[in-house]
Amino acid sequence: MSQQPAARAAVIKDVARLAGVSHQTVSRVLNDHPSVRDETRERVLLAVKQLNYRPNALARGLAGRRSRVIGVVSFDTILHGPAATLLGIERAARHAGYGISIVALERLDRSGVVDAVNRLAEQSVAGVVIIAPLLTAAAAAGSLPTGVPAVVVESDLAGDLPTVSVDQVAGARLAVEHLLGLGHQTVWHLSGPKDWLEARDRVDGWRAALEAAGRRVPPVLAGDWSPKSGYEAGRELAERGDVTAVFCANDQQALGMLRALHERGVRVPEDVSIVGFDDIPEAAYLSPPLTTVRQDFDEVGRRCLAALLELLGVDRPPGVPRHPRVPPSLVVRASSGPPPAS
Amino acid sequence: MSQQPAARAAVIKDVARLAGVSHQTVSRVLNDHPSVRDETRERVLLAVKQLNYRPNALARGLAGRRSRVIGVVSFDTILHGPAATLLGIERAARHAGYGISIVALERLDRSGVVDAVNRLAEQSVAGVVIIAPLLTAAAAAGSLPTGVPAVVVESDLAGDLPTVSVDQVAGARLAVEHLLGLGHQTVWHLSGPKDWLEARDRVDGWRAALEAAGRRVPPVLAGDWSPKSGYEAGRELAERGDVTAVFCANDQQALGMLRALHERGVRVPEDVSIVGFDDIPEAAYLSPPLTTVRQDFDEVGRRCLAALLELLGVDRPPGVPRHPRVPPSLVVRASSGPPPAS
DNA sequence: CCCATGAATGTGACCGATAACAATCGAGGC
DNA sequence: GCCTCGATTGTTATCGGTCACATTCATGGG
């Protein structure tokens, strides 16, 4: 009848008692402090194993003023990019021995970001990563009041905070150069929403590539990332006879555009070539399979963590650039080809 | 010269001093304990505001043995379903005043799940939600060693733990009945991976609906959620002339199948009707727009949280069922129609 | 008029770890 | 042989809250 109801998890004192040392010595072993005799260390580790002891992260954080958790402010994780970025960060954090706390934002305005960071700060996170694909969020990140170490993803203009982003401009250039290389006279562009930085950068890269080649720059078609906006843009383009190549700012828009063109009897790539951006899992199985630009989100996650750890002074690999840009790569499939002979 | 370097954040004692009360009274105000005089309460709240005081969640959790964070064990959050579920849980948690800590699993085996829960337990989470769409994960969840309150999502066989899931069987039935209602003699099925519970349930629902209608049950085609497997199954089906309707276990597979059929000149829905599952954002813009079954992931998230809060004894709404099943709904689009006249 | 009662508030222990400092011990220098 | 020094280990304070209990004070019943 004297059975404990749920044998309370062992704490550091239990380990100390079992190993016959002071709790402080146990703490030293756990944090591999140098001056512990080998024999003592082993005795402690044995006790740890026997009791299945796991240090309490809360107590650790409170006493040591550093927690092994990093906060992530995320946005619209239904979209492929943000979801993949979040996963990349989680993966990198886990490998570095950190946990992840997330706060998702419904709207990406200034007070929302600040508020989210505050909520994370309450939890004494070691630092935060802000996935801030919008201009407003980047601005907010630039003016964080608290002294929380922060890294901003997908934005290179967050005040003096370190940032990590995919080189969107280079990605757009890859797409455009690919199409020009196939013989197209110019390339149209269906952009993402104006307030997204990635959308803006892709427009810039597209325009720069066209200008560098001395080509005419058509007007930008404005989309909102959704397949719907791609569909609508596709119907417009189908009306005109002079479009031979379109660079869509993401794969979902490209998908909608494919549908519109197909509906109107415009053949891809024979009549019009389409290039997307993201390389979502579906891209290879659209009709036709989509040529697109792939982003390495795992690499983004790794670099975020590297930047954050440097900020925390944990690691100090001297060569880490403050605003690294991860290079994207072009994946050529069947949706792009030479222009019609005409 | 006496300026503080970064004016350390205010703690409860600072508030107490400023308000001229004891720290315990401040604590009472913060946790709205009844017996505090109004005048005192206001004085404290004023001090809180003046100092911009925010209670330290670590200390709170340590002392009070309850943290306002719940852990989520997630898997494959690149897929639409898990990503949406995660977001739903985060949203519900945020509204209930809880934060979210996540651990993503690479593989969904027993030790992985147990390990993830342990990592969360170290952080003293109030409870965990396990997104366990695989049989192995459900089994692991059923044998969690620690005394951590847990709710399991997308699995109804996790020992005696409360679970929340979408009624996959009903969803599959909706799809099949829709197709039979259009006049098809029978419906083929491209399943998800065998070890996923959702895949298994959808197979069950499909078969049950066919049997209930007294129809022939064709062999199950085995997929793996990927567009690729849908594409391959589509090529096989195109070979046969006798297939008029296919229920795909998810939209990505349906997408691949659409591509294969299109490639072979099989028209959808004139020759073959296709129904998917999930209603991913792309579904409405495929060629043709996809008829599919929609799941309400926000509702799943809400119910998860309700179940967890009940487990925590925080709330006790008596009517909460232990294994609620969220009903899915059919979204009819252009990929399904009457069978060919033949 | 005294005492029981309950509301309002304060005091000190405690949660489980780390940090700072003290104590102990054996070895090498004079 | 005594003292200093570094390696080990222990003791106590501390992190920032909550909990359990003590205390104070005004009120109402006998």
Side-chain angles (χ1 to χ4, degrees):
Chain A
M1 294 307 171
S2 70
Q3 174 140 18
Q4 305 300 339
R8 203 175 48 48
V11 299
I12 200 169
K13 278 170 95 173
D14 302 324
V15 176
R17 195 175 313 123
L18 181 58
V21 298
S22 77
H23 63 116
Q24 178 58 25
T25 297
V26 176
S27 172
R28 290 199 182 93
V29 171
L30 295 175
N31 298 287
D32 20 55
H33 186 99
S35 60
V36 176
R37 237 186 334 163
D38 283 354
E39 189 266 341
T40 309
R41 179 190 315 282
E42 277 165 30
R43 204 144 35 91
V44 170
L45 290 176
L46 180 64
V48 164
K49 187 156 294 175
Q50 285 184 358
L51 296 174
N52 189 30
Y53 165 74
R54 319 208 65 173
N56 179 316
L58 256 45
R60 255 185 164 168
L62 183 56
R65 63 230 299 100
R66 96 194 44 146
S67 86
R68 300 282 284 181
V69 174
I70 73 179
V72 178
V73 179
S74 67
F75 179 66
D76 214 345
T77 47
I78 296 295
L79 287 178
H80 179 257
T85 304
L86 178 58
L87 189 59
I89 294 170
E90 194 279 343
R91 196 172 275 156
R94 180 153 31 83
H95 288 152
Y98 279 77
I100 289 283
S101 255
I102 65 172
V103 176
L105 292 182
E106 307 285 343
R107 296 160 304 110
L108 209 40
D109 53 14
R110 184 188 223 81
S111 70
V113 172
V114 172
D115 203 56
V117 171
N118 277 334
R119 268 219 295 292
L120 290 169
E122 266 177 61
Q123 294 176 41
S124 306
V125 294
V128 301
V129 176
I130 303 173
I131 301 181
L134 264 67
L135 290 159
T136 50
S143 64
L144 285 181
T146 54
V148 186
V151 171
V152 179
V153 192
E154 295 312 336
S155 158
D156 55 351
L157 36 69
D160 51 356
L161 296 176
T163 65
V164 176
S165 38
V166 171
D167 193 337
Q168 309 289 346
V169 172
R173 187 170 282 143
L174 280 176
V176 172
E177 285 170 358
H178 165 67
L179 289 166
L180 295 183
L182 286 168
H184 294 271
Q185 286 307 306
T186 189
V187 176
W188 286 63
H189 179 50
L190 170 58
S191 76
K194 274 195 304 295
D195 47 352
W196 283 63
L197 288 161
E198 289 151 277
R200 192 205 54 176
D201 286 352
R202 288 172 200 170
V203 170
D204 289 350
W206 160 76
R207 176 173 291 123
L210 285 181
E211 286 172 350
R215 304 304 172 86
R216 185 174 62 86
V217 180
V220 175
L221 305 171
D224 63 3
W225 293 147
S226 75
K228 179 168 198 240
S229 67
Y231 177 77
E232 285 162 1
R235 292 180 69 144
E236 272 184 53
L237 290 184
E239 300 293 313
R240 328 182 37 124
D242 60 338
V243 178
T244 69
V246 183
F247 164 46
C248 293
N250 77 343
D251 285 353
Q252 295 203 337
Q253 292 183 158
L255 181 149
M257 182 168 289
L258 285 179
R259 157 130 190 86
L261 296 179
H262 179 256
E263 224 175 57
R264 295 305 172 99
V266 177
R267 294 166 306 162
V268 176
E270 292 81 357
D271 300 325
V272 175
S273 286
I274 304 280
V275 174
F277 208 111
D278 274 353
D279 196 22
I280 61 177
E282 291 87 350
Y285 293 90
L286 299 181
S287 298
L290 187 65
T291 295
T292 188
V293 179
R294 173 184 292 157
Q295 314 187 57
D296 186 347
F297 294 107
D298 267 3
E299 179 63 19
V300 170
R302 276 192 294 275
R303 298 211 190 180
C304 278
L305 220 79
L308 197 50
L309 292 183
E310 193 198 346
L311 226 50
L312 297 178
V314 175
D315 255 3
R316 193 160 290 281
V320 178
R322 199 156 173 84
H323 301 280
R325 305 194 135 266
V326 179
S329 59
L330 184 73
V331 181
V332 177
R333 299 206 182 89
S335 68
S336 56
S342 84
Chain B
M1 295 306 168
S2 68
Q3 172 139 21
Q4 305 300 339
R8 204 175 46 48
V11 298
I12 199 169
K13 278 169 95 174
D14 302 324
V15 176
R17 194 175 314 124
L18 181 58
V21 298
S22 76
H23 61 116
Q24 177 58 24
T25 296
V26 176
S27 173
R28 288 200 182 91
V29 171
L30 295 175
N31 298 288
D32 24 54
H33 185 97
S35 59
V36 176
R37 231 180 344 154
D38 282 353
E39 189 267 339
T40 309
R41 180 189 315 282
E42 276 165 32
R43 203 142 37 91
V44 169
L45 289 176
L46 180 64
V48 164
K49 187 155 294 176
Q50 284 184 358
L51 296 174
N52 189 29
Y53 166 74
R54 318 208 66 170
N56 179 318
L58 257 43
R60 253 186 166 166
L62 222 209
R65 62 230 296 100
R66 96 192 46 142
S67 83
R68 299 283 283 183
V69 173
I70 73 177
V72 178
V73 179
S74 68
F75 179 66
D76 215 344
T77 46
I78 295 296
L79 287 178
H80 179 255
T85 304
L86 178 58
L87 189 58
I89 294 170
E90 194 280 341
R91 198 172 273 157
R94 181 151 32 84
H95 288 152
Y98 280 77
I100 288 283
S101 251
I102 66 171
V103 176
L105 292 181
E106 305 287 342
R107 296 160 303 111
L108 210 39
D109 53 14
R110 184 186 224 81
S111 70
V113 173
V114 172
D115 203 57
V117 172
N118 278 333
R119 267 218 295 291
L120 290 169
E122 265 177 61
Q123 295 177 39
S124 306
V125 293
V128 301
V129 176
I130 304 174
I131 301 180
L134 265 68
L135 291 160
T136 49
S143 65
L144 285 181
T146 55
V148 185
V151 171
V152 178
V153 192
E154 294 313 335
S155 158
D156 54 352
L157 36 68
D160 52 356
L161 296 176
T163 65
V164 177
S165 37
V166 171
D167 193 338
Q168 309 290 345
V169 172
R173 187 171 282 144
L174 281 177
V176 172
E177 285 169 358
H178 165 66
L179 289 165
L180 294 183
L182 287 168
H184 295 270
Q185 287 307 305
T186 190
V187 176
W188 287 64
H189 179 50
L190 170 58
S191 76
K194 274 196 303 296
D195 47 351
W196 282 63
L197 288 161
E198 288 152 277
R200 195 205 54 177
D201 286 353
R202 288 172 200 171
V203 170
D204 289 351
W206 161 76
R207 177 175 290 123
L210 285 181
E211 286 172 351
R215 305 305 171 86
R216 184 174 63 83
V217 179
V220 175
L221 304 171
D224 63 3
W225 294 146
S226 75
K228 179 170 199 235
S229 67
Y231 177 77
E232 285 162 2
R235 293 181 67 143
E236 273 183 53
L237 291 183
E239 301 291 315
R240 326 181 41 123
D242 61 340
V243 178
T244 68
V246 184
F247 164 46
C248 293
N250 77 343
D251 286 352
Q252 296 204 336
Q253 291 183 158
L255 181 150
M257 182 169 289
L258 286 179
R259 157 130 190 87
L261 296 180
H262 179 257
E263 223 174 59
R264 294 307 172 99
V266 178
R267 294 166 308 163
V268 177
E270 292 81 359
D271 300 325
V272 175
S273 286
I274 303 281
V275 174
F277 208 111
D278 275 353
D279 196 23
I280 60 177
E282 290 87 350
Y285 293 90
L286 299 181
S287 298
L290 187 66
T291 294
T292 188
V293 179
R294 174 185 293 157
Q295 313 187 58
D296 186 347
F297 294 107
D298 267 2
E299 179 63 20
V300 170
R302 277 192 294 273
R303 298 212 191 181
C304 277
L305 220 78
L308 197 50
L309 291 183
E310 194 199 345
L311 226 51
L312 296 178
V314 175
D315 255 2
R316 193 160 290 281
V320 178
R322 200 157 173 81
H323 301 279
R325 305 192 135 270
V326 178
S329 59
L330 185 72
V331 180
V332 178
R333 298 204 181 91
S335 68
S336 56
S342 86

